[in-house]
C-alpha cells in the first residue's frame, strides 16, 4: 500500500475528529485519534494549553504503540509481514507530517521522528516478498495450473504497487497473464435466409462489440474467427457457437370485430311547442290533448326521407332510430304561432346507438437461439442453453355507423388511425433478437466473470 493511500485513510480520521483537545480519546487509548484532535485544535488556536498537554502526552504513546507493533511483526512468521510493517511506518510518518506542519504543536513535541528510510526499506522488502511468491506461482502456472498463474499475476501486481517497476515485474505481469488467460473464439451465426443477412450481421456485430470492447474478465480473451486466424490461434480453449433453432419473421394475423355501442341518458333533442295560455281550470281540461311535433323520418331500408307530424310520446323512439327534428326541408321544427299561446321548451333523453367495426393487424416475429460453449480441444459441450425472443407489432383502425355520441374516447382514436404497413422483415428480425441479445450477454458475463 502506497504512502498516498495511507494518507487518505488518515485524512478520514482527521475529518471525523471533533474540535476537542483529544483528552477523551487519550483516556480511551485511541492514541492516533487523540493526536489528530489535538493537532486540529492547535491549528485553530496555537496556544491552547489543554491541547498542548494532550499532544505532549499522546505522541510518545502513539509512537511507541506503532513501534511495538512493528517489533512484534518483525519476529513473527506471518507471510508478507513487511506489508503491515510498511503501513505502520506510513502511519508514523503521517503523525510526523501533521505535527511538523503545525507551529503550535512543536511547542508540545519539539522533535517528532521521521521514519521515511524505514518505510522505504519496508516497501522494498514487501515488494521482494510478493515478487518471489509470484515466481513460485508462475512456475506452477507454466506447468498448466491456470489458477496458480492467476495467483502469480496478483502477486506481481502487489509487488508493482509497493515499488513501481520492481526488477522485471512488468514483463512478469505479461507472462503471468498469458498463462492465466483462456482464448475463446465466437463463431458467426449461420443464416440461410439471404433476405435477413444484413440483420444477422448486425446482431453478430453487437455481440462481438460487447465481448471485445467491454471485457468480462481480464483472463478471458474473446476473438472472432477472422481475428483468431490473423493472430494464429488455432487451438482455442473454448468455442462459442450460436445458431437459431427456429425463427419466424412477419407472421401476420388479421382480425375484424363488430361491436354494438349503446350509451344511455343522452340528450337527443331540444324543441319548442306552442301551448295555449289558459287558466288553471282550462289547463286541466286541455291537458289530455297531446302536442304534435314535426320530424324528418327516414324510411327504413332506403335513403328516402319524409316529413311527419307525430305525437310527442312517439318522439323518443323516432329520435333513437335516427330521425331528426323538424321538416325534411328545414333543420329545425316549425312551431306554429297564434294568439293565446306560449312557447314551452322541452328536452328528449334516450339512447345513442352505433355499430363499431375494428380491424386489427398483428405481426409476430420470434425465434429460439441455441447458445453453446464447447471445449476447444475435446469439443465437449461445457454449457448449453436455449434463449427465446419475440416481438409483436400491431396496428388497429376502424369506422362506425350510427350516432357518434355512443362512442367513447378510445373509439374515436381508433377511427382516426389509418391502416399502415408493417415494418420491413430486417427490422422485425432485429426487434425480436433484442431480448435474445440481452439474455445472451448476461449469460456470457455470468459464466466468465470469475472464470
Amino acid at each position: 500500500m502506497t504512502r498516498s493511500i495511507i494518507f487518505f485513510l488518515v485524512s478520514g480520521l482527521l475529518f471525523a475528529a471533533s474540535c476537542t483537545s483529544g483528552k477523551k480519546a487519550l483516556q480511551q487509548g485511541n492514541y492516533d485519534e487523540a493526536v489528530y484532535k489535538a493537532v486540529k485544535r492547535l491549528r485553530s488556536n496555537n496556544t491552547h494549553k489543554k491541547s498542548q498537554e494532550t499532544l505532549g502526552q499522546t505522541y510518545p504513546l502513539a509512537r511507541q504503540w506503532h513501534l511495538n507493533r512493528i517489533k512484534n511483526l518483525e519476529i513473527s512468521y506471518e507471510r508478507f509481514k513487511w506489508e503491515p510493517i510498511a503501513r505502520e511506518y506510513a502511519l508514523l510518518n503521517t503523525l510526523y507530517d501533521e505535527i511538523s506542519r503545525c507551529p503550535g504543536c512543536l511547542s508540545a513535541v519539539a522533535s517528532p521522528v521521521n521514519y521515511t528510510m524505514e518505510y522505504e526499506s519496508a516497501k522494498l522488502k514487501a515488494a521482494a516478498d510478493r515478487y518471489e511468491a509470484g515466481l513460485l506461482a508462475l512456475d506452477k502456472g507454466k506447468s498448466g495450473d491456470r489458477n496458480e498463474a492467476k495467483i502469480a499475476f496478483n502477486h506481481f501486481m502487489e509487488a508493482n504497487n509497493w515499488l513501481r517497476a520492481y526488477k522485471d515485474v512488468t514483463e512478469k505481469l505479461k507472462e503471468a497473464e498469458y498463462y492465466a488467460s483462456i482464448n475463446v473464439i465466437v463463431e458467426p451465426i449461420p443464416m440461410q435466409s439471404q433476405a435477413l443477412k444484413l440483420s444477422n450481421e448486425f446482431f453478430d456485430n453487437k455481440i462481438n462489440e460487447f465481448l471485445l470492447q467491454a471485457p468480462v474478465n481480464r483472463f478471458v480473451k474473446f476473438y472472432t474467427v477472422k481475428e483468431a486466424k490473423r493472430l494464429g490461434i488455432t487451438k482455442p480453449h473454448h468455442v462459442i457457437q450460436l445458431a437459431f433453432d427456429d425463427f419466424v419473421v412477419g407472421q401476420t394475423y388479421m382480425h375484424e370485430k363488430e361491436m354494438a355501442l349503446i350509451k344511455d341518458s343522452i340528450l337527443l333533442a331540444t324543441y319548442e311547442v306552442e301551448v295555449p295560455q289558459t287558466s288553471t281550470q282550462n289547463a286541466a281540461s286541455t291537458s289530455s290533448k297531446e302536442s304534435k311535433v314535426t320530424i324528418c323520418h327516414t324510411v327504413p331500408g332506403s335513403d328516402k326521407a319524409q316529413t311527419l307530424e307525430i305525437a310527442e310520446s312517439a318522439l323518443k323512439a323516432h329520435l333513437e332510430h335516427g330521425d331528426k327534428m323538424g321538416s325534411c326541408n328545414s333543420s329545425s321544427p316549425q312551431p306554429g304561432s297564434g294568439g293565446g299561446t306560449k312557447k314551452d321548451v322541452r328536452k328528449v333523453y334516450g339512447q345513442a346507438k352505433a355499430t363499431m367495426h375494428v380491424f386489427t393487424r398483428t405481426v409476430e416475429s420470434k425465434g429460439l437461439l441455441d447458445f453453446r460453449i464447447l471445449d476447444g480441444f475435446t469439443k465437449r459441450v461445457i454449457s448449453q442453453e436455449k434463449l427465446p425472443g419475440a416481438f409483436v407489432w400491431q396496428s388497429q383502425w376502424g369506422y362506425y355507423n350510427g350516432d357518434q355520441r355512443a362512442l367513447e374516447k378510445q373509439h374515436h382514436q381508433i377511427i382516426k388511425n389509418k391502416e399502415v404497413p408493417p415494418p420491413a422483415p430486417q427490422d422485425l428480425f432485429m426487434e425480436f433478437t433484442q431480448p435474445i441479445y440481452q439474455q445472451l450477454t448476461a449469460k456470457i458475463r455470468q459464466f466468465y466473470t470469475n472464470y
Side-chain angles (χ1 to χ4, degrees):
M1 185 178 293
T2 62
R3 189 169 181 175
S4 60
I5 297 176
I6 297 295
F7 181 76
F8 175 78
L9 295 174
V10 172
S11 297
L13 292 173
L14 285 172
F15 180 80
S18 67
C19 291
T20 65
S21 65
K23 192 73 174 179
K24 185 176 181 180
L26 171 61
Q27 293 170 350
Q28 294 174 345
N30 299 328
Y31 301 133
D32 285 8
E33 182 182 350
V35 170
Y36 300 139
K37 286 184 176 181
V39 168
K40 185 176 182 180
R41 171 56 68 91
L42 288 168
R43 280 182 176 159
S44 61
N45 182 359
N46 58 15
T47 61
H48 193 266
K49 290 184 178 181
K50 285 187 178 181
S51 297
Q52 288 179 339
E53 291 174 1
T54 300
L55 183 59
Q57 296 173 18
T58 304
Y59 175 68
L61 294 173
R63 177 170 163 266
Q64 191 58 50
W65 186 80
H66 288 293
L67 290 174
N68 289 339
R69 281 179 55 83
I70 291 170
K71 183 178 180 180
N72 291 333
L73 285 166
E74 285 177 337
I75 62 176
S76 74
Y77 292 97
E78 182 179 336
R79 193 183 187 193
F80 308 121
K81 63 184 179 182
W82 290 104
E83 294 179 6
I85 289 174
R87 285 192 282 270
E88 292 297 328
Y89 279 126
L91 290 170
L92 283 167
N93 286 332
T94 303
L95 294 176
Y96 168 81
D97 291 340
E98 290 298 313
I99 295 172
S100 298
R101 292 186 293 110
C102 172
C105 299
L106 295 175
S107 299
V109 181
S111 301
V113 183
N114 187 309
Y115 291 93
T116 299
M117 291 182 61
E118 291 83 353
Y119 173 65
E120 293 298 328
S121 177
K123 281 175 55 181
L124 178 62
K125 293 175 181 178
D129 278 355
R130 287 290 185 174
Y131 182 83
E132 293 301 322
L135 291 178
L136 291 173
L138 181 57
D139 285 340
K140 297 177 182 178
K142 290 180 179 179
S143 300
D145 192 332
R146 179 170 170 263
N147 286 329
E148 285 294 328
K150 291 168 69 175
I151 292 171
F153 181 87
N154 291 330
H155 283 316
F156 290 134
M157 282 292 291
E158 286 294 330
N160 197 48
N161 288 337
W162 281 111
L163 198 61
R164 185 67 59 184
Y166 176 76
K167 292 188 176 180
D168 59 345
V169 71
T170 303
E171 288 71 25
K172 292 301 180 184
L173 278 168
K174 294 178 181 178
E175 192 175 357
E177 184 175 3
Y178 172 79
Y179 286 103
S181 298
I182 64 169
N183 297 324
V184 182
I185 290 181
V186 184
E187 294 184 347
I189 304 174
M191 179 62 64
Q192 303 299 326
S193 173
Q194 291 298 317
L196 300 176
K197 184 178 179 181
L198 291 177
S199 299
N200 184 57
E201 289 178 354
F202 177 80
F203 183 67
D204 267 337
N205 290 337
K206 282 192 66 178
I207 296 171
N208 291 332
E209 181 181 350
F210 165 76
L211 295 174
L212 301 178
Q213 295 187 7
V216 175
N217 184 332
R218 183 182 195 120
F219 302 112
V220 180
K221 314 297 184 183
F222 295 96
Y223 302 96
T224 64
V225 173
K226 290 182 179 179
E227 287 172 328
K229 186 176 181 180
R230 179 176 58 84
L231 296 172
I233 302 173
T234 57
K235 293 183 178 181
H237 298 85
H238 289 173
V239 175
I240 292 180
Q241 290 183 341
L242 305 172
F244 284 103
D245 284 351
D246 186 26
F247 68 87
V248 177
V249 176
Q251 190 168 8
T252 304
Y253 303 92
M254 281 293 298
H255 180 259
E256 180 181 359
K257 183 178 181 181
E258 180 179 307
M259 298 181 293
L261 306 178
I262 299 176
K263 189 179 291 186
D264 293 320
S265 302
I266 297 297
L267 179 61
L268 299 177
T270 300
Y271 63 97
E272 295 177 346
V273 295
E274 298 284 349
V275 296
Q277 290 183 349
T278 59
S279 64
T280 303
Q281 181 178 2
N282 291 336
S285 63
T286 60
S287 61
S288 60
K289 296 181 180 180
E290 189 173 6
S291 299
K292 299 289 186 178
V293 292
T294 303
I295 64 168
C296 181
H297 173 68
T298 302
V299 180
S302 70
D303 296 332
K304 296 181 179 179
Q306 60 182 130
T307 302
L308 297 179
E309 190 175 75
I310 62 172
E312 275 190 285
S313 59
L315 179 59
K316 176 182 176 182
H318 279 272
L319 292 177
E320 288 182 340
H321 284 83
D323 293 348
K324 307 295 182 182
M325 292 294 300
S327 67
C328 295
N329 297 325
S330 174
S331 60
S332 59
Q334 302 296 325
S337 61
T341 63
K342 67 175 182 178
K343 292 183 180 180
D344 188 14
V345 179
R346 298 180 182 180
K347 297 180 179 180
V348 182
Y349 292 90
Q351 291 182 331
K353 300 179 181 179
T355 302
M356 185 81 183
H357 296 268
V358 180
F359 301 91
T360 304
R361 173 183 287 161
T362 303
V363 180
E364 292 184 355
S365 301
K366 57 186 178 180
L368 191 66
L369 183 72
D370 182 60
F371 164 46
R372 296 184 185 186
I373 301 176
L374 305 181
D375 185 294
F377 300 98
T378 66
K379 306 304 178 185
R380 178 178 61 89
V381 177
I382 302 173
S383 177
Q384 181 176 14
E385 294 192 56
K386 305 289 185 180
L387 309 178
F391 174 71
V392 178
W393 177 89
Q394 195 171 78
S395 176
Q396 197 172 63
W397 69 97
Y399 68 91
Y400 79 98
N401 293 318
D403 194 332
Q404 185 180 14
R405 292 172 295 184
L407 275 60
E408 300 291 350
K409 183 178 180 180
Q410 65 269 26
H411 301 137
H412 287 284
Q413 183 58 53
I414 292 173
I415 294 168
K416 291 179 182 178
N417 294 341
K418 303 295 181 181
E419 181 180 0
V420 295
Q426 290 189 7
D427 296 330
L428 293 172
F429 179 88
M430 286 188 284
E431 288 291 346
F432 94 77
T433 56
Q434 281 294 327
I436 294 178
Y437 170 80
Q438 298 296 333
Q439 295 174 76
L440 177 62
T441 53
K443 295 291 182 182
I444 292 174
R445 188 182 295 279
Q446 180 182 3
F447 186 87
Y448 283 110
T449 294
N450 297 313
Y451 198 86

